[in-house]
Amino acid sequence: MIGYQDILKAVVKRLNTTHPTIPIYGDEVTEGYKVPCFFTTLLPIESETQTKNYITTNLLIVISYFSDCKDSLKCLQVMSKLKRAFGICLSVDDRHFTIQDSRIEKVEKDVYQFSFRITYHELINFEPDNELITTIEHHIEGSNK
């Protein structure tokens, strides 16, 4: 089972690859950060049971960019580079999630956001519906076996 922390680590790793000099913070940091910087947020949107064994989870990932630049075109270039770097797939361990509904928005004066959704299925319980056959009887016509 994949954990939210695994997904967030993959996002941070991708951010570090594309922008190694820009600090990355989580939601718990509310003061004392230096701009420019990124804040990452993972929001579970919904989980839906598909069968007794499978669940579908839908997550929203938001990367906020706090800029020290007043030039909105430069900020948009940073966000475009970020969007290209994430592309269409987020790899987490041995799984690959399709990035859906990615968007760039200006949310405050010097704050831009890149957000996207991922949806994935997980095995939550494995109970075979039928008992495994442990013995096979084999009858041959004309014999007593």
Side-chain angles (χ1 to χ4, degrees), residues 32-57:
Y33 56 88
K34 295 182 182 179
V35 292
C37 65
F38 291 112
F39 278 84
T40 58
T41 305
L42 187 143
L43 301 167
I45 297 173
E46 66 181 337
S47 289
E48 185 178 342
T49 303
Q50 300 297 314
T51 67
K52 69 179 185 176
N53 296 327
Y54 286 95
I55 191 167
T56 298
T57 301

Side-chain angles (χ1 to χ4, degrees), residues 63-76:
I63 301 167
S64 300
Y65 175 59
F66 286 64
S67 173
D68 62 347
C69 176
K70 304 300 178 205
D71 184 350
S72 62
L73 286 178
K74 285 185 180 180
C75 293
L76 288 172

